[in-house]
Amino acid sequence: MRAYYYDDIPGDQRLPHDSGIPVDATILAAVGIHHTFVPIPVPMTGEYPAVDAICRERGYVIRDWIDATKEGLGDIYEAKIASFFKEHMHEEEEIRYVVEGSGFFDAREHPTDKWIRCVVEPGDLVVVPSGIYHRFTLDSKDKMKAMMLFKEDPKFTYFPRSDAAENEPFRVDYLKKIAVQ
């Protein structure tokens, strides 16, 4: 997975916005983002043995799918893509395994507050920790199908960035885990 600092130049969120400053695995680990490349099984049988092993290792017991395409989301496509790009965090980690298409996960680096853009493509399994501010968008191809993995029933509760959100227990725990006070 390629990662770099977002350029913050206004414009279409689906464009790369590559500042030319790469972000390596050490920086991603420091903010709690984990990446594993898991090759897509060929032929596509619906069986994912390597993902099954990761699920057992990390305690994921529930799976769901997101078909982030105009066909998959229908009339709510534009509103859903816009909502994904609003800066937010969750009380549980967010895990996605990309099987088709591509897009970007952006995460806030703390304490610099810079956006780190992660380019995700088929085979990328990304773990975004609870308590980190992040957002998601498709790239200009407007297509992604991904498996979502959960440790328990998903809550899908968004916490937009705010002063109050800074005091949420999972945000405080996140900041402790990355050793920033």
Side-chain angles (χ1 to χ4, degrees):
M1 177 181 73
R2 194 166 72 84
Y4 50 85
Y5 288 102
Y6 187 84
D7 66 15
D8 282 322
I9 296 171
D12 187 344
Q13 70 196 36
R14 297 171 194 178
L15 296 177
H17 287 277
D18 189 343
S19 66
I21 304 168
V23 172
D24 65 22
T26 305
I27 294 171
L28 291 175
V31 298
I33 295 175
H34 300 283
H35 169 261
T36 303
F37 182 77
V38 181
I40 305 295
V42 178
M44 290 282 287
T45 62
E47 300 293 321
Y48 299 90
V51 174
D52 294 342
I54 292 168
C55 288
R56 285 189 299 276
E57 175 186 317
R58 294 187 65 98
Y60 303 140
V61 295
I62 297 175
R63 296 178 190 201
D64 200 355
W65 290 90
I66 177 119
D67 184 359
T69 62
K70 291 178 182 178
E71 299 77 26
L73 294 173
D75 293 340
I76 64 168
Y77 174 78
E78 291 296 336
K80 189 58 96 173
I81 296 303
S83 75
F84 290 158
F85 199 64
K86 291 180 182 166
E87 184 174 6
H88 64 280
M89 64 179 170
H90 304 283
E91 61 185 302
E92 65 276 332
E93 61 186 12
E94 185 168 333
I95 307 92
R96 300 293 180 265
Y97 174 55
V98 180
V99 296
E100 291 178 25
S102 49
F104 306 107
F105 269 101
D106 297 340
R108 284 282 187 195
E109 180 182 50
H110 194 85
T112 68
D113 220 29
K114 293 179 185 177
W115 282 113
I116 295 172
R117 176 154 274 195
C118 301
V119 181
V120 292
E121 299 173 312
D124 287 326
L125 188 145
V126 179
V127 180
V128 178
S130 65
I132 189 173
Y133 290 111
H134 65 280
R135 61 190 184 188
F136 169 79
T137 190
L138 296 172
D139 61 16
S140 59
K141 297 173 193 148
D142 282 330
K143 174 186 176 178
M144 181 186 288
K145 184 174 182 181
M147 182 187 298
M148 303 180 294
L149 305 171
F150 305 96
K151 291 182 178 180
E152 55 188 44
D153 286 331
K155 297 179 181 95
F156 294 115
T157 305
Y158 287 69
F159 291 83
R161 188 166 187 175
S162 68
D163 289 340
E166 288 296 312
N167 297 315
E168 291 289 342
F170 53 91
R171 174 68 176 168
V172 172
D173 288 346
Y174 167 72
L175 293 174
K176 287 178 184 174
K177 285 179 188 170
I178 64 167
V180 176
Q181 301 300 321

